Structure formats: structure tokens, C-alpha cells
Amino acid sequence: MSTVGILGGGQLARMLILAGAPLGLRFVVFDTVADACSGALAPLTVGHYADDDALAAFADGVDVATFDFENVPAQAAQTLTAHTFVAPNPRALAVAQDRLSEKSLFRELGIPVPPFAAIDTQAQLQAAVAELGTPCILKTRRLGYDGKGQFRIKTPADVDAAWVALGAQADTVGLILEGFVAFQRELSVVAVRGRDGEFRAWPLTRNWHVDGVLSASLAPAQVDAAMQATALSHARKLAEALDYVGVFALELFDRDGVLLANEMAPRVHNSGHWTIEGSETSQFENHLRAVVGLPLGSTAMRGHACMLNWLGDMPDAAAALAVEGMHWHDYGKQSRAGRKVGHATLRVDSSAALADALRQAGEALGRQAQVAPVIAVL
Ligand code: AMP
């Protein structure tokens, strides 16, 4: 029986643990806080990622180490590799942690990207805004997530305000300026690569964000075979270039039928939560199969699925579960404004039935605004 060590103990670790139990896997979790929500399901070590001794002790007790959190310092990932098999590998982690490295790699691999420029000084920002045009977005290169560490520059007059907001971080996490993509929709491809190089991907997912945070995901996204094939080819190239093992997500903008890569997440991803009920093998199970070296499972869909994120506090479970096709995931977290505390997945047999179920759920939970954009495309 293998023991899997997970760095980061949030809901992604929790869902990995739930998926790994039937495979006979054991888990231990490392996090910086004592109330990490996966601590309810597996032994939790509380420590700092900069503490090499704590990491070494953790790694000595596991057969393989993986992550629910990509912002583990590269040094910590390196420390782990001296003690155990680590997947994904530290280079993949390092590339995905840095918006400049990942966009440069996408471009090198022939994956289209929005125009971008590295920014170290206010003068460079001024020049880059003039070159890329407005609107554009100034982002931190590292440690940004869910739309945090971003400033939208609507006109050249916003440059000073953008520098006031983020300039101090130019020397720490670095900055990148990106052209604003007037996309019609946001898509993601969640994919998995095994230790033996086998590659699989789930059908493309369409995502809706509110204030930079995922609100709803629909699978399958309504895309033609050519777009699905293009997304898969991008994901495969990326996985092979990074010698990636495990699940990752590639976030894409669809602008007039062209897919532009926004970012990759080197881990199981919120836009793949629907795979728990909506696919033959969930992203969590396939990630574990990959990292422990088991054959990968089918990524075929089972019906139509929509995932709804619950932020801040959980809606009423009883009202939700009265809706046919509703599956409930309460992460067992304390309520806090904006915090991801749970999600639900509606899984039914047709897109018409999905629209019905979403209407019912929206009404039962007072979440009509959240389900409306999804219903509008069904
Ligand atoms: P990110 O943290 O890069 O995933 O950005 C969060 C959200 O901001 C994305 O899901 C998009 O909705 C939006 N966004 C980020 N970058 C761009 C861009 N270059 N053009 C247009 N919208 C963007």
C-alpha cells in the first residue's frame, strides 16, 4: 500500500484523499495552517515550506509526494526530490508558478498567447502600454491567483495608478503586462499524463468567472471537434515539454474561434471538479493513478454536467439535494467572505435536462444570477 504525501491541505487535497481511498492509498498532508480542511481526513503536518528539515521528515514517510497548491517554493520541491518521487516535477512547478515563464513556454511550443511583456520599471510599463495598447492588464508574475495581483489599465492615464498598486512588487514577485483579450468565452482543458507518458484529457469545459474567481463550469463545452483537438494538442505538447506527471489544467480564451492560452495550473483544478460525477474517472483519481504509476482511467463523459462554486458560505444542502441530479461537496471550512467553501455538480443525461435542473437549483438556493449565464447557452 502506497502512502501519498500532499503539500497543501485544502479542498483539492481533501478530494484527492476521497478519491484515493478506494485505490487503497494512504495519505499524509503538509500545510502551513492547523485548520487545513483535509486535516479531517488524513494526518496533517503543520510546518513552513522553507523548513527543509520538516519537509525532509515529511517526505521520508511517503512513497510519492504531490501538491494541492502550486506556490510551494521551488527550493521546497527540490528538497523533496532528494527524499522521494515528486510529481509534478519541480521544473513544471517552477514554470507554472511564473506567468512570464509559462507564457514564454506556450509561445515556444506554438501555443497562441495574448501579447505580453516583462515589466521591471515604471518606464518599461509606460513603453509596454504604448506598444500593446489599451485596455491591458498588469499582473504579478508569481503568487497571483483567482484574479488577485492584477490591475486593469483602461487608458494610458491609468499607468501611474497601476504602478502605485503593483509597482512595489516588481522586485519581489515580478510583473507582466498582458494585452486584454476580448474573448467570447473562457474554456479549460484538464489533462493527465502518466509516469509512462500516456496522455489523456477530459472534454473541454466552459467556465464563468465573477471578480476573477470561478463561478460555474459546464461540461462538455459546446465546441466543435477541431477546437477540441486543438486544445488537446496544446495540452499534450505542454505535458511532454515539461515531462509532466499528473493532472494539470490549461486555461484558454476563445476569441473568434482561436484559443489563446492564459495560464496553466500544475495540479487538479476547480474547472475539473465536475469529473467526480460527470466522467468515468475523476481528475482526482487519475491524478493519483498517474503519480503512483497505475494505468490511467477513461476520461469519457457520463452525461452533461455543471459545477457551481460556493463562495463565502454554503447554501442550504437540503434544498439543493431535493433537485434531481444534484451532488454536494461541503469542504468543512469556516465561512469567510469570498472563500471557496464547497461546490455542487448537477449531472443529468441531456443539456435540456441540465437547463431544467439549473433553473430549479437557482430558485431553490436563491442563486438565479449564478446559473443564468449557463442556462443561456444550453
Ligand atoms: P487569471 O488569474 O490570469 O486566471 O485571471 C483571472 C481572470 O481575469 C480570467 O479568468 C479572465 O476572466 C480575466 N483575464 C485574465 N487575463 C486576461 C486577459 N489577458 N484578457 C482578458 N481577460 C483576462
Side-chain angles (χ1 to χ4, degrees):
M1 182 185 291
S2 295
T3 299
V4 179
I6 308 177
L7 278 277
Q11 68 269 17
L12 302 179
R14 190 176 161 108
M15 288 184 270
L16 284 168
I17 294 165
L18 288 167
L23 296 173
L25 299 173
R26 286 180 186 277
F27 293 88
V28 288
V29 181
F30 189 101
D31 202 300
T32 55
V33 295
D35 69 344
C37 73
S38 61
L41 302 185
L44 170 69
T45 300
V46 180
H48 291 289
Y49 296 123
D51 183 346
D52 277 357
D53 292 340
L55 282 176
F58 179 77
D60 279 337
V62 308
D63 300 295
V64 47
T66 188
F67 308 90
D68 105 322
F69 171 66
E70 66 265 41
N71 289 321
V72 172
Q75 173 58 34
Q78 212 56 58
T79 300
L80 288 174
T81 55
H83 299 268
T84 190
F85 178 74
V86 180
N89 65 64
R91 178 173 162 249
L93 214 56
V95 168
Q97 276 172 4
D98 183 343
R99 291 183 191 274
L100 183 64
S101 320
E102 70 184 354
K103 286 217 163 58
S104 305
L105 177 64
F106 297 160
R107 185 179 270 171
E108 232 172 77
L109 295 173
I111 301 171
V113 284
F116 64 90
I119 304 294
D120 294 321
T121 64
Q122 187 168 2
Q124 275 178 2
L125 177 62
Q126 197 89 46
V129 168
E131 197 191 323
L132 264 56
T134 51
C136 52
I137 308 187
L138 183 64
K139 299 182 179 179
T140 55
R141 279 171 54 178
R142 289 182 293 277
L143 300 178
Y145 67 100
D146 284 346
K148 295 182 178 62
Q150 301 192 6
F151 191 100
R152 292 194 180 195
I153 298 175
K154 297 194 184 77
T155 73
D158 293 339
V159 165
D160 288 348
W163 193 255
V164 168
L166 296 177
Q169 298 185 60
D171 293 335
T172 53
V173 291
L175 299 175
I176 182 172
L177 184 73
E178 294 178 15
F180 186 85
V181 180
F183 54 78
Q184 283 83 34
R185 52 185 181 169
E186 294 193 73
L187 302 168
S188 59
V189 54
V190 179
V192 58
R193 185 166 176 271
R195 279 200 195 191
D196 59 357
E198 186 185 3
F199 175 87
R200 295 186 185 214
W202 285 267
L204 271 170
T205 301
R206 179 165 180 181
N207 303 309
W208 286 265
H209 293 83
V210 175
D211 297 331
V213 183
L214 187 65
S215 171
S217 291
L218 171 70
Q222 296 137 317
V223 298
D224 60 22
M227 185 174 278
Q228 177 74 38
T230 301
L232 249 66
S233 145
H234 292 344
R236 184 194 287 268
K237 273 192 216 161
L238 199 53
E240 285 171 0
L242 293 170
D243 193 18
Y244 197 93
V245 173
V247 164
F248 66 99
L250 178 62
E251 295 181 15
L252 302 158
F253 298 134
D254 172 5
R255 186 184 59 195
D256 305 327
V258 176
L259 295 177
L260 301 170
N262 176 34
E263 63 175 347
M264 80 171 283
R267 51 171 169 75
V268 287
H269 191 250
N270 201 164
S271 70
H273 289 2
W274 63 265
T275 60
I276 297 174
E277 293 87 9
S279 167
E280 284 297 328
T281 315
S282 77
Q283 63 165 349
F284 300 99
E285 178 173 344
N286 258 346
H287 181 72
L288 293 167
R289 291 195 194 198
V291 301
V292 302
L294 289 168
L296 302 181
S298 163
T299 50
M301 283 216 61
R302 300 162 71 198
H304 294 249
C306 178
M307 190 271 332
L308 300 168
N309 256 354
W310 306 136
L311 302 178
D313 43 29
M314 292 295 295
D316 180 24
L321 290 170
V323 178
E324 204 65 37
M326 176 72 83
H327 300 271
W328 203 242
H329 298 264
D330 181 336
Y331 306 150
K333 291 184 178 177
Q334 299 281 349
S335 303
R336 195 198 303 148
R339 190 179 203 192
K340 289 180 180 172
V341 290
H343 77 267
T345 296
L346 280 160
R347 194 212 68 83
V348 291
D349 290 335
S350 68
S351 61
L354 188 56
D356 274 349
L358 280 166
R359 238 173 254 118
Q360 287 174 46
E363 267 172 39
L365 302 175
R367 304 279 176 146
Q368 288 93 340
Q370 190 173 0
V371 299
V374 188
I375 294 171
V377 303
L378 289 172

